[in-house]
Amino acid sequence: MGLLAQYVINGAMLGMMYALVAVGFSLFFGVLDVIQFAHGDVLMVGAFAGLAAHALLAHLGVTSPALLLLGVLAAAALSMAILGALIARAVVLPLKSVPPINVLLMTLMLGTALREAIRLFYPGGSQPQRFPSLLPGTATAVGALTLRLDNAILFATGALLIVGTHLFITGTRLGLAIRAVAQDEETARCMGIDFTKVVLATFALGSALAAVAGVMNGLYYNEVGFGMGLLLGVIGFSAAVVGGLGNLYGAILGGFLFAALQTIGAAALPFASAYKDVFAFGVVIVLMAFRPTGLIGEKASERV
Amino acid sequence: MSGFSRIAAALVASVLLSAYLLLFLRAESTYTVALLLACGVAVALALRAKPLAPLARAAGSSRALPPFGLLGVVALALLLRDDAFSLFLVARVLVIALACLGLHLQFGSAGVVNFAGAAFFGIGGYTAAVLGRGGAIPGALVLLAGGVAAAVIGSVLILPVLRTRGHYAALVTVAFGILFRTFLEVNDTLGGPQGLKLAGLEIFGLRLGDDLALGPLEGSFLVKYVLAAVVLLALGFALVLRIERSFVGLALDAVRLDETAAAAFGLDVARWKILAFTVGNFLTGLAGALSAYLVGFIAPNNFTFSESLIFVSIILLGGIGNAAGVPLAAAIVLLLPEKLQLLQEYRYLLYALLVMAVLLFRPGGLLPRRLRRWEAGGAA
């Protein structure tokens, strides 16, 4: 029983990270109808920005874990918000009128460039880097199950961020503008919404969320590497698509669903746990065959 | 321009291209390579200027260009017969070009996205490794089986690919590519992460693994692999170009440009998409089988998602929808990093930046899609 609970906790952590990444994909798709495939690598760069911030703060003599953690999160989120807006400005917006596959390839190549840049230019970047553990490692035993405080904090942070994003999108003027652009770009422009500003803000928001997910990933596994973004990006993309692109709740649902599939594949099925990704992606393909526009699908009818 | 002068132009173009490739492959220092690259770019730009443009167009539109080009490669292989590394590179370019020809049929003609090119390439390779193990099955059949296996396994994706569109369809193939690679990595019967070894290929009693000894001609066994790749690529080109020029190609174009309109005109959209997907996977699998023999061993690491991306960037760089761009782009993408050894460490970065630059400034690729021309007496 304890083992199963451990699997569930682990799955929930993964699901939170996937959901944070998937929300970004969904936001970008909402405003621009594009897939920003460098998103996973933005996450990775965010984790490394956090690592660099930690080194800097430690060098300056900061020792309080809370301050360090705050500094790491702020540095990662802020720098990735700027990077995300830059990507939107320099790479995605200029390709607005070309076929979507060009944008897809463009951002994939951008992801490769980011990955290679970290590998080549971050000191020791070609090896996995140890990520400092900044959270208290206290564990409480609840029956046969050990609950670790750091995991609880990570999970709560992720949940707060997602709720915050939801409140931001539904409750603020900028959020309203984002939803308006997602619904109909031209009408939104006619209503006096600054399209470019909204796009940049959306990319900044989504990328900051990815950066937090990256730091979470680093704290959870105590390690970051230049290649960590590729699979996380693909999984985030799968989660967003399975949930239904452009839909925030779909992305969250997709993220947790994917983590659940991996957990089931690892724990509950008769074959070796190494097949968990094979199982999860296999189910994704089958789901796409039955719900071609995702679980919470776009209501799309084609105008001729 | 008359037919004869077109053929002459194509002949001159092939000779020049082969000579250029020979110089390029023989170049030792990075400076020579850089100089050759500068010359190449200069010539490419000059060909677009007024006096030379009609000649270039004549050569490019000539039906004689593909055969002459392939003959040029044969001559190149014979000239390079002792240089194993260059021969290997040439064979690799040809094999990857064949694989990308399959993707060209999917992306370029029917508009079916496939981000699992490396997976189908790998299916071909693993089929060859498993079937060729005992040596009981004739080599030609093993190669063919590689293609067939890729097409058959690909057919499980037909339903999701047909029902989804755009990014949703992209996800299906991305997921399949990753699934395939993970499966190979954890599966012990197929060698796991270490992969499988292959013996030399034997086609119609001809052992491709032995060194070349043809009367006075002696050289590396790789010459034979280059020749085999040339033959397969020629067949692949013949197939793809025939499809494009026929009513099938017209139907595929219609499906790509507007599914709704195509269906309204009575075209069976599903049928044409399945055709393009299956034939494309067959070509990619065939190339994968030959590639496995060429390299002598296969491992899951050769069939990653990044590898699929390289395939896609080759067809995009060459110009989506123009088969002639495929070998050109394959040569650029595969040879450039090998030749710029000085930049070895930075080659992937440079390569990513190069593709991004092409996408930004020349979104149609190096040789953009040509419009169909109407010719009296047939669709073309």
Side-chain angles (χ1 to χ4, degrees), chain A residues 35 101 104-106 108 119-120 234 238 241 245 274 282 289 292 298 302, chain B residues 107 115 163 165 167-168 171 178-179 186 260 309 316 345 349 352 360:
Chain A
I35 292 297
I101 166 148
L104 202 68
L105 195 67
M106 185 75 171
L108 281 166
R119 184 174 76 86
L120 293 166
V234 172
S238 312
V241 174
L245 278 172
E298 298 173 282
E302 200 169 336
Chain B
F107 277 92
F115 283 94
R163 284 183 49 104
R165 283 191 190 179
H167 296 110
Y168 295 91
L171 169 68
I178 294 178
L179 183 157
V186 296
T260 318
L309 290 186
L316 216 72
E345 195 61 43
L349 186 60
L360 270 180

PDB file of all heavy atoms in Angstrom, chain A residues 35 101 104-106 108 119-120 234 238 241 245 274 282 289 292 298 302, chain B residues 107 115 163 165 167-168 171 178-179 186 260 309 316 345 349 352 360:
ATOM      1  N   ILE A  35       2.694  26.441 -32.374  1.00  0.00           N
ATOM      2  CA  ILE A  35       3.317  25.625 -31.347  1.00  0.00           C
ATOM      3  C   ILE A  35       4.724  26.149 -31.161  1.00  0.00           C
ATOM      4  O   ILE A  35       5.491  26.226 -32.119  1.00  0.00           O
ATOM      5  CB  ILE A  35       3.344  24.143 -31.778  1.00  0.00           C
ATOM      6  CG1 ILE A  35       1.932  23.584 -31.809  1.00  0.00           C
ATOM      7  CG2 ILE A  35       4.185  23.334 -30.821  1.00  0.00           C
ATOM      8  CD1 ILE A  35       1.247  23.561 -30.479  1.00  0.00           C
ATOM      9  N   ILE A 101       4.061  24.544 -40.384  1.00  0.00           N
ATOM     10  CA  ILE A 101       5.207  23.648 -40.245  1.00  0.00           C
ATOM     11  C   ILE A 101       6.506  24.429 -40.180  1.00  0.00           C
ATOM     12  O   ILE A 101       7.446  24.053 -39.483  1.00  0.00           O
ATOM     13  CB  ILE A 101       5.265  22.621 -41.385  1.00  0.00           C
ATOM     14  CG1 ILE A 101       6.612  21.952 -41.423  1.00  0.00           C
ATOM     15  CG2 ILE A 101       4.986  23.195 -42.712  1.00  0.00           C
ATOM     16  CD1 ILE A 101       6.576  20.574 -41.879  1.00  0.00           C
ATOM     17  N   LEU A 104       6.890  25.525 -36.669  1.00  0.00           N
ATOM     18  CA  LEU A 104       7.240  24.355 -35.866  1.00  0.00           C
ATOM     19  C   LEU A 104       8.735  24.075 -35.989  1.00  0.00           C
ATOM     20  O   LEU A 104       9.441  23.933 -34.993  1.00  0.00           O
ATOM     21  CB  LEU A 104       6.433  23.157 -36.366  1.00  0.00           C
ATOM     22  CG  LEU A 104       6.250  22.011 -35.402  1.00  0.00           C
ATOM     23  CD1 LEU A 104       5.359  22.452 -34.276  1.00  0.00           C
ATOM     24  CD2 LEU A 104       5.643  20.823 -36.107  1.00  0.00           C
ATOM     25  N   LEU A 105       9.219  24.024 -37.219  1.00  0.00           N
ATOM     26  CA  LEU A 105      10.628  23.718 -37.426  1.00  0.00           C
ATOM     27  C   LEU A 105      11.509  24.840 -36.889  1.00  0.00           C
ATOM     28  O   LEU A 105      12.549  24.598 -36.289  1.00  0.00           O
ATOM     29  CB  LEU A 105      10.900  23.496 -38.911  1.00  0.00           C
ATOM     30  CG  LEU A 105      12.236  22.829 -39.151  1.00  0.00           C
ATOM     31  CD1 LEU A 105      12.222  21.424 -38.627  1.00  0.00           C
ATOM     32  CD2 LEU A 105      12.586  22.837 -40.603  1.00  0.00           C
ATOM     33  N   MET A 106      11.067  26.064 -37.106  1.00  0.00           N
ATOM     34  CA  MET A 106      11.820  27.220 -36.621  1.00  0.00           C
ATOM     35  C   MET A 106      12.034  27.119 -35.111  1.00  0.00           C
ATOM     36  O   MET A 106      13.156  27.278 -34.623  1.00  0.00           O
ATOM     37  CB  MET A 106      11.010  28.472 -36.944  1.00  0.00           C
ATOM     38  CG  MET A 106      11.706  29.741 -36.626  1.00  0.00           C
ATOM     39  SD  MET A 106      12.952  29.999 -37.876  1.00  0.00           S
ATOM     40  CE  MET A 106      13.454  31.631 -37.462  1.00  0.00           C
ATOM     41  N   LEU A 108      11.705  24.483 -33.226  1.00  0.00           N
ATOM     42  CA  LEU A 108      12.491  23.291 -32.899  1.00  0.00           C
ATOM     43  C   LEU A 108      13.979  23.588 -33.023  1.00  0.00           C
ATOM     44  O   LEU A 108      14.788  23.191 -32.180  1.00  0.00           O
ATOM     45  CB  LEU A 108      12.119  22.153 -33.837  1.00  0.00           C
ATOM     46  CG  LEU A 108      10.838  21.403 -33.513  1.00  0.00           C
ATOM     47  CD1 LEU A 108      10.411  20.559 -34.679  1.00  0.00           C
ATOM     48  CD2 LEU A 108      11.030  20.544 -32.297  1.00  0.00           C
ATOM     49  N   ARG A 119      25.026  23.868 -23.515  1.00  0.00           N
ATOM     50  CA  ARG A 119      26.035  22.814 -23.469  1.00  0.00           C
ATOM     51  C   ARG A 119      27.436  23.383 -23.678  1.00  0.00           C
ATOM     52  O   ARG A 119      28.392  22.992 -23.013  1.00  0.00           O
ATOM     53  CB  ARG A 119      25.746  21.771 -24.547  1.00  0.00           C
ATOM     54  CG  ARG A 119      26.680  20.567 -24.527  1.00  0.00           C
ATOM     55  CD  ARG A 119      26.245  19.517 -25.522  1.00  0.00           C
ATOM     56  NE  ARG A 119      26.568  19.889 -26.891  1.00  0.00           N
ATOM     57  CZ  ARG A 119      27.743  19.654 -27.469  1.00  0.00           C
ATOM     58  NH1 ARG A 119      28.681  19.046 -26.804  1.00  0.00           N
ATOM     59  NH2 ARG A 119      27.974  20.028 -28.705  1.00  0.00           N
ATOM     60  N   LEU A 120      27.535  24.348 -24.608  1.00  0.00           N
ATOM     61  CA  LEU A 120      28.853  24.847 -24.966  1.00  0.00           C
ATOM     62  C   LEU A 120      29.323  25.969 -24.053  1.00  0.00           C
ATOM     63  O   LEU A 120      30.495  26.071 -23.735  1.00  0.00           O
ATOM     64  CB  LEU A 120      28.839  25.359 -26.412  1.00  0.00           C
ATOM     65  CG  LEU A 120      28.642  24.303 -27.481  1.00  0.00           C
ATOM     66  CD1 LEU A 120      28.316  24.949 -28.813  1.00  0.00           C
ATOM     67  CD2 LEU A 120      29.906  23.473 -27.606  1.00  0.00           C
ATOM     68  N   VAL A 234       8.288  17.762 -25.140  1.00  0.00           N
ATOM     69  CA  VAL A 234       7.424  16.880 -25.918  1.00  0.00           C
ATOM     70  C   VAL A 234       6.245  16.418 -25.068  1.00  0.00           C
ATOM     71  O   VAL A 234       5.103  16.372 -25.535  1.00  0.00           O
ATOM     72  CB  VAL A 234       8.221  15.670 -26.456  1.00  0.00           C
ATOM     73  CG1 VAL A 234       7.293  14.667 -27.082  1.00  0.00           C
ATOM     74  CG2 VAL A 234       9.238  16.126 -27.456  1.00  0.00           C
ATOM     75  N   SER A 238       2.397  17.100 -25.729  1.00  0.00           N
ATOM     76  CA  SER A 238       1.415  16.013 -25.788  1.00  0.00           C
ATOM     77  C   SER A 238       0.263  16.301 -24.842  1.00  0.00           C
ATOM     78  O   SER A 238      -0.912  16.123 -25.202  1.00  0.00           O
ATOM     79  CB  SER A 238       2.041  14.683 -25.392  1.00  0.00           C
ATOM     80  OG  SER A 238       3.239  14.482 -26.047  1.00  0.00           O
ATOM     81  N   VAL A 241      -1.971  18.993 -26.220  1.00  0.00           N
ATOM     82  CA  VAL A 241      -2.754  18.555 -27.372  1.00  0.00           C
ATOM     83  C   VAL A 241      -3.823  17.550 -26.956  1.00  0.00           C
ATOM     84  O   VAL A 241      -4.973  17.638 -27.394  1.00  0.00           O
ATOM     85  CB  VAL A 241      -1.833  17.956 -28.452  1.00  0.00           C
ATOM     86  CG1 VAL A 241      -2.640  17.360 -29.575  1.00  0.00           C
ATOM     87  CG2 VAL A 241      -0.907  19.007 -28.985  1.00  0.00           C
ATOM     88  N   LEU A 245      -5.892  21.913 -27.524  1.00  0.00           N
ATOM     89  CA  LEU A 245      -5.061  23.109 -27.601  1.00  0.00           C
ATOM     90  C   LEU A 245      -5.883  24.366 -27.364  1.00  0.00           C
ATOM     91  O   LEU A 245      -7.027  24.460 -27.780  1.00  0.00           O
ATOM     92  CB  LEU A 245      -4.384  23.187 -28.966  1.00  0.00           C
ATOM     93  CG  LEU A 245      -3.128  22.352 -29.127  1.00  0.00           C
ATOM     94  CD1 LEU A 245      -2.682  22.360 -30.567  1.00  0.00           C
ATOM     95  CD2 LEU A 245      -2.029  22.889 -28.231  1.00  0.00           C
ATOM     96  N   ALA A 274      10.152  -0.073 -17.419  1.00  0.00           N
ATOM     97  CA  ALA A 274      10.867   0.691 -18.439  1.00  0.00           C
ATOM     98  C   ALA A 274       9.960   1.018 -19.616  1.00  0.00           C
ATOM     99  O   ALA A 274      10.237   1.932 -20.382  1.00  0.00           O
ATOM    100  CB  ALA A 274      12.079  -0.100 -18.914  1.00  0.00           C
ATOM    101  N   GLY A 282       1.730   5.488 -26.390  1.00  0.00           N
ATOM    102  CA  GLY A 282       0.788   4.636 -27.124  1.00  0.00           C
ATOM    103  C   GLY A 282      -0.641   5.038 -26.837  1.00  0.00           C
ATOM    104  O   GLY A 282      -1.459   5.173 -27.754  1.00  0.00           O
ATOM    105  N   ALA A 289      -6.797   9.215 -31.916  1.00  0.00           N
ATOM    106  CA  ALA A 289      -7.628   8.608 -32.945  1.00  0.00           C
ATOM    107  C   ALA A 289      -9.103   8.773 -32.605  1.00  0.00           C
ATOM    108  O   ALA A 289      -9.945   8.917 -33.492  1.00  0.00           O
ATOM    109  CB  ALA A 289      -7.280   7.134 -33.103  1.00  0.00           C
ATOM    110  N   PRO A 292      -9.965  13.517 -32.006  1.00  0.00           N
ATOM    111  CA  PRO A 292      -8.930  14.149 -32.832  1.00  0.00           C
ATOM    112  C   PRO A 292      -8.628  15.596 -32.449  1.00  0.00           C
ATOM    113  O   PRO A 292      -7.614  16.133 -32.861  1.00  0.00           O
ATOM    114  CB  PRO A 292      -9.524  14.096 -34.240  1.00  0.00           C
ATOM    115  CG  PRO A 292     -10.658  13.175 -34.169  1.00  0.00           C
ATOM    116  CD  PRO A 292     -11.128  13.093 -32.758  1.00  0.00           C
ATOM    117  N   GLU A 298     -11.543  21.798 -29.266  1.00  0.00           N
ATOM    118  CA  GLU A 298     -11.985  23.071 -29.816  1.00  0.00           C
ATOM    119  C   GLU A 298     -13.294  22.827 -30.549  1.00  0.00           C
ATOM    120  O   GLU A 298     -13.457  21.806 -31.213  1.00  0.00           O
ATOM    121  CB  GLU A 298     -10.983  23.568 -30.867  1.00  0.00           C
ATOM    122  CG  GLU A 298      -9.614  23.829 -30.368  1.00  0.00           C
ATOM    123  CD  GLU A 298      -8.701  24.133 -31.561  1.00  0.00           C
ATOM    124  OE1 GLU A 298      -8.296  23.188 -32.249  1.00  0.00           O
ATOM    125  OE2 GLU A 298      -8.433  25.298 -31.790  1.00  0.00           O
ATOM    126  N   GLU A 302     -15.356  24.050 -40.188  1.00  0.00           N
ATOM    127  CA  GLU A 302     -14.576  24.742 -41.188  1.00  0.00           C
ATOM    128  C   GLU A 302     -15.460  25.571 -42.091  1.00  0.00           C
ATOM    129  O   GLU A 302     -16.476  25.085 -42.586  1.00  0.00           O
ATOM    130  CB  GLU A 302     -13.795  23.719 -42.008  1.00  0.00           C
ATOM    131  CG  GLU A 302     -12.631  24.339 -42.703  1.00  0.00           C
ATOM    132  CD  GLU A 302     -11.715  23.271 -43.288  1.00  0.00           C
ATOM    133  OE1 GLU A 302     -11.749  22.140 -42.783  1.00  0.00           O
ATOM    134  OE2 GLU A 302     -11.002  23.580 -44.219  1.00  0.00           O
TER     135      GLU A 302
ATOM    136  N   PHE B 107       5.041  15.085 -46.917  1.00  0.00           N
ATOM    137  CA  PHE B 107       4.911  16.517 -46.632  1.00  0.00           C
ATOM    138  C   PHE B 107       4.610  17.305 -47.898  1.00  0.00           C
ATOM    139  O   PHE B 107       3.704  18.123 -47.944  1.00  0.00           O
ATOM    140  CB  PHE B 107       6.234  17.064 -46.080  1.00  0.00           C
ATOM    141  CG  PHE B 107       6.436  16.855 -44.626  1.00  0.00           C
ATOM    142  CD1 PHE B 107       7.092  15.746 -44.159  1.00  0.00           C
ATOM    143  CD2 PHE B 107       5.999  17.803 -43.721  1.00  0.00           C
ATOM    144  CE1 PHE B 107       7.310  15.570 -42.816  1.00  0.00           C
ATOM    145  CE2 PHE B 107       6.213  17.643 -42.371  1.00  0.00           C
ATOM    146  CZ  PHE B 107       6.866  16.519 -41.923  1.00  0.00           C
ATOM    147  N   PHE B 115       6.602  13.414 -38.341  1.00  0.00           N
ATOM    148  CA  PHE B 115       7.778  13.757 -37.562  1.00  0.00           C
ATOM    149  C   PHE B 115       8.418  12.506 -36.974  1.00  0.00           C
ATOM    150  O   PHE B 115       9.098  12.576 -35.968  1.00  0.00           O
ATOM    151  CB  PHE B 115       7.406  14.730 -36.435  1.00  0.00           C
ATOM    152  CG  PHE B 115       7.213  16.123 -36.937  1.00  0.00           C
ATOM    153  CD1 PHE B 115       5.955  16.586 -37.280  1.00  0.00           C
ATOM    154  CD2 PHE B 115       8.290  16.968 -37.091  1.00  0.00           C
ATOM    155  CE1 PHE B 115       5.785  17.863 -37.757  1.00  0.00           C
ATOM    156  CE2 PHE B 115       8.127  18.249 -37.571  1.00  0.00           C
ATOM    157  CZ  PHE B 115       6.867  18.702 -37.900  1.00  0.00           C
ATOM    158  N   ARG B 163      -7.580  11.176 -38.940  1.00  0.00           N
ATOM    159  CA  ARG B 163      -8.619  11.882 -38.204  1.00  0.00           C
ATOM    160  C   ARG B 163      -8.158  13.215 -37.646  1.00  0.00           C
ATOM    161  O   ARG B 163      -8.984  14.056 -37.303  1.00  0.00           O
ATOM    162  CB  ARG B 163      -9.138  10.985 -37.062  1.00  0.00           C
ATOM    163  CG  ARG B 163     -10.050   9.886 -37.587  1.00  0.00           C
ATOM    164  CD  ARG B 163     -10.621   9.040 -36.474  1.00  0.00           C
ATOM    165  NE  ARG B 163     -11.195   9.807 -35.387  1.00  0.00           N
ATOM    166  CZ  ARG B 163     -12.501   9.962 -35.185  1.00  0.00           C
ATOM    167  NH1 ARG B 163     -13.349   9.433 -36.022  1.00  0.00           N
ATOM    168  NH2 ARG B 163     -12.936  10.637 -34.154  1.00  0.00           N
ATOM    169  N   ARG B 165      -5.639  16.815 -37.639  1.00  0.00           N
ATOM    170  CA  ARG B 165      -5.080  17.768 -38.581  1.00  0.00           C
ATOM    171  C   ARG B 165      -4.023  18.613 -37.916  1.00  0.00           C
ATOM    172  O   ARG B 165      -4.005  18.744 -36.703  1.00  0.00           O
ATOM    173  CB  ARG B 165      -6.174  18.719 -39.068  1.00  0.00           C
ATOM    174  CG  ARG B 165      -7.046  18.057 -40.071  1.00  0.00           C
ATOM    175  CD  ARG B 165      -7.925  19.051 -40.720  1.00  0.00           C
ATOM    176  NE  ARG B 165      -8.915  18.329 -41.504  1.00  0.00           N
ATOM    177  CZ  ARG B 165      -9.846  18.917 -42.183  1.00  0.00           C
ATOM    178  NH1 ARG B 165      -9.940  20.228 -42.168  1.00  0.00           N
ATOM    179  NH2 ARG B 165     -10.703  18.209 -42.885  1.00  0.00           N
ATOM    180  N   HIS B 167      -1.450  20.506 -35.984  1.00  0.00           N
ATOM    181  CA  HIS B 167      -0.598  20.176 -34.846  1.00  0.00           C
ATOM    182  C   HIS B 167      -0.999  18.868 -34.190  1.00  0.00           C
ATOM    183  O   HIS B 167      -0.177  18.200 -33.589  1.00  0.00           O
ATOM    184  CB  HIS B 167      -0.647  21.301 -33.828  1.00  0.00           C
ATOM    185  CG  HIS B 167      -0.088  22.577 -34.358  1.00  0.00           C
ATOM    186  ND1 HIS B 167      -0.858  23.675 -34.631  1.00  0.00           N
ATOM    187  CD2 HIS B 167       1.157  22.905 -34.712  1.00  0.00           C
ATOM    188  CE1 HIS B 167      -0.101  24.628 -35.107  1.00  0.00           C
ATOM    189  NE2 HIS B 167       1.120  24.196 -35.165  1.00  0.00           N
ATOM    190  N   TYR B 168      -2.269  18.537 -34.274  1.00  0.00           N
ATOM    191  CA  TYR B 168      -2.732  17.291 -33.665  1.00  0.00           C
ATOM    192  C   TYR B 168      -2.119  16.097 -34.396  1.00  0.00           C
ATOM    193  O   TYR B 168      -1.712  15.126 -33.776  1.00  0.00           O
ATOM    194  CB  TYR B 168      -4.256  17.222 -33.683  1.00  0.00           C
ATOM    195  CG  TYR B 168      -4.903  18.289 -32.832  1.00  0.00           C
ATOM    196  CD1 TYR B 168      -5.258  19.512 -33.350  1.00  0.00           C
ATOM    197  CD2 TYR B 168      -5.131  18.060 -31.485  1.00  0.00           C
ATOM    198  CE1 TYR B 168      -5.832  20.501 -32.570  1.00  0.00           C
ATOM    199  CE2 TYR B 168      -5.702  19.030 -30.692  1.00  0.00           C
ATOM    200  CZ  TYR B 168      -6.058  20.251 -31.235  1.00  0.00           C
ATOM    201  OH  TYR B 168      -6.608  21.205 -30.440  1.00  0.00           O
ATOM    202  N   LEU B 171       1.460  15.722 -33.454  1.00  0.00           N
ATOM    203  CA  LEU B 171       1.659  15.041 -32.169  1.00  0.00           C
ATOM    204  C   LEU B 171       1.656  13.530 -32.342  1.00  0.00           C
ATOM    205  O   LEU B 171       2.476  12.833 -31.749  1.00  0.00           O
ATOM    206  CB  LEU B 171       0.580  15.432 -31.163  1.00  0.00           C
ATOM    207  CG  LEU B 171       0.610  14.539 -29.919  1.00  0.00           C
ATOM    208  CD1 LEU B 171       1.869  14.776 -29.112  1.00  0.00           C
ATOM    209  CD2 LEU B 171      -0.601  14.733 -29.046  1.00  0.00           C
ATOM    210  N   ILE B 178       8.942   8.849 -30.526  1.00  0.00           N
ATOM    211  CA  ILE B 178       9.531   8.677 -29.199  1.00  0.00           C
ATOM    212  C   ILE B 178       9.219   7.295 -28.650  1.00  0.00           C
ATOM    213  O   ILE B 178      10.073   6.625 -28.060  1.00  0.00           O
ATOM    214  CB  ILE B 178       9.034   9.785 -28.269  1.00  0.00           C
ATOM    215  CG1 ILE B 178       9.592  11.102 -28.769  1.00  0.00           C
ATOM    216  CG2 ILE B 178       9.439   9.525 -26.849  1.00  0.00           C
ATOM    217  CD1 ILE B 178       9.165  12.274 -27.991  1.00  0.00           C
ATOM    218  N   LEU B 179       7.992   6.857 -28.883  1.00  0.00           N
ATOM    219  CA  LEU B 179       7.574   5.518 -28.452  1.00  0.00           C
ATOM    220  C   LEU B 179       8.500   4.461 -29.050  1.00  0.00           C
ATOM    221  O   LEU B 179       8.989   3.579 -28.360  1.00  0.00           O
ATOM    222  CB  LEU B 179       6.135   5.308 -28.911  1.00  0.00           C
ATOM    223  CG  LEU B 179       5.357   4.044 -28.569  1.00  0.00           C
ATOM    224  CD1 LEU B 179       3.880   4.379 -28.655  1.00  0.00           C
ATOM    225  CD2 LEU B 179       5.662   2.919 -29.504  1.00  0.00           C
ATOM    226  N   VAL B 186      14.514  -0.335 -24.410  1.00  0.00           N
ATOM    227  CA  VAL B 186      14.245  -1.213 -23.271  1.00  0.00           C
ATOM    228  C   VAL B 186      14.001  -2.653 -23.698  1.00  0.00           C
ATOM    229  O   VAL B 186      13.869  -3.522 -22.860  1.00  0.00           O
ATOM    230  CB  VAL B 186      13.035  -0.707 -22.451  1.00  0.00           C
ATOM    231  CG1 VAL B 186      13.360   0.636 -21.839  1.00  0.00           C
ATOM    232  CG2 VAL B 186      11.792  -0.628 -23.295  1.00  0.00           C
ATOM    233  N   THR B 260     -11.181  20.171 -48.293  1.00  0.00           N
ATOM    234  CA  THR B 260     -12.618  20.305 -48.482  1.00  0.00           C
ATOM    235  C   THR B 260     -12.958  20.403 -49.963  1.00  0.00           C
ATOM    236  O   THR B 260     -13.875  19.732 -50.449  1.00  0.00           O
ATOM    237  CB  THR B 260     -13.117  21.553 -47.744  1.00  0.00           C
ATOM    238  OG1 THR B 260     -12.472  21.612 -46.480  1.00  0.00           O
ATOM    239  CG2 THR B 260     -14.603  21.510 -47.554  1.00  0.00           C
ATOM    240  N   LEU B 309      14.017  15.223 -36.940  1.00  0.00           N
ATOM    241  CA  LEU B 309      14.020  16.655 -37.243  1.00  0.00           C
ATOM    242  C   LEU B 309      15.002  16.970 -38.351  1.00  0.00           C
ATOM    243  O   LEU B 309      14.750  17.826 -39.197  1.00  0.00           O
ATOM    244  CB  LEU B 309      14.413  17.448 -35.997  1.00  0.00           C
ATOM    245  CG  LEU B 309      13.387  17.467 -34.902  1.00  0.00           C
ATOM    246  CD1 LEU B 309      13.836  18.387 -33.796  1.00  0.00           C
ATOM    247  CD2 LEU B 309      12.074  17.950 -35.477  1.00  0.00           C
ATOM    248  N   LEU B 316      12.699  20.692 -45.898  1.00  0.00           N
ATOM    249  CA  LEU B 316      12.342  22.100 -45.834  1.00  0.00           C
ATOM    250  C   LEU B 316      13.440  22.960 -46.452  1.00  0.00           C
ATOM    251  O   LEU B 316      13.177  23.932 -47.160  1.00  0.00           O
ATOM    252  CB  LEU B 316      12.121  22.508 -44.381  1.00  0.00           C
ATOM    253  CG  LEU B 316      11.022  23.516 -44.201  1.00  0.00           C
ATOM    254  CD1 LEU B 316       9.686  22.847 -44.442  1.00  0.00           C
ATOM    255  CD2 LEU B 316      11.055  24.101 -42.808  1.00  0.00           C
ATOM    256  N   GLU B 345      32.797  21.185 -32.559  1.00  0.00           N
ATOM    257  CA  GLU B 345      32.090  21.413 -31.299  1.00  0.00           C
ATOM    258  C   GLU B 345      30.830  22.262 -31.518  1.00  0.00           C
ATOM    259  O   GLU B 345      29.824  22.082 -30.850  1.00  0.00           O
ATOM    260  CB  GLU B 345      33.067  22.097 -30.347  1.00  0.00           C
ATOM    261  CG  GLU B 345      32.683  22.126 -28.896  1.00  0.00           C
ATOM    262  CD  GLU B 345      32.523  20.738 -28.294  1.00  0.00           C
ATOM    263  OE1 GLU B 345      33.360  19.869 -28.566  1.00  0.00           O
ATOM    264  OE2 GLU B 345      31.562  20.539 -27.569  1.00  0.00           O
ATOM    265  N   LEU B 349      25.030  23.905 -33.272  1.00  0.00           N
ATOM    266  CA  LEU B 349      24.586  25.285 -33.067  1.00  0.00           C
ATOM    267  C   LEU B 349      24.517  26.010 -34.407  1.00  0.00           C
ATOM    268  O   LEU B 349      23.501  26.623 -34.758  1.00  0.00           O
ATOM    269  CB  LEU B 349      25.557  25.983 -32.110  1.00  0.00           C
ATOM    270  CG  LEU B 349      25.179  27.387 -31.678  1.00  0.00           C
ATOM    271  CD1 LEU B 349      23.854  27.376 -30.956  1.00  0.00           C
ATOM    272  CD2 LEU B 349      26.255  27.964 -30.766  1.00  0.00           C
ATOM    273  N   ALA B 352      21.688  24.690 -36.557  1.00  0.00           N
ATOM    274  CA  ALA B 352      20.377  25.194 -36.146  1.00  0.00           C
ATOM    275  C   ALA B 352      20.191  26.632 -36.606  1.00  0.00           C
ATOM    276  O   ALA B 352      19.129  27.011 -37.126  1.00  0.00           O
ATOM    277  CB  ALA B 352      20.231  25.098 -34.628  1.00  0.00           C
ATOM    278  N   LEU B 360      13.771  32.071 -42.159  1.00  0.00           N
ATOM    279  CA  LEU B 360      13.403  33.486 -42.058  1.00  0.00           C
ATOM    280  C   LEU B 360      13.494  34.182 -43.411  1.00  0.00           C
ATOM    281  O   LEU B 360      12.623  34.969 -43.773  1.00  0.00           O
ATOM    282  CB  LEU B 360      14.325  34.198 -41.063  1.00  0.00           C
ATOM    283  CG  LEU B 360      13.901  34.229 -39.600  1.00  0.00           C
ATOM    284  CD1 LEU B 360      14.938  34.970 -38.774  1.00  0.00           C
ATOM    285  CD2 LEU B 360      12.546  34.915 -39.442  1.00  0.00           C
TER     286      LEU B 360
END
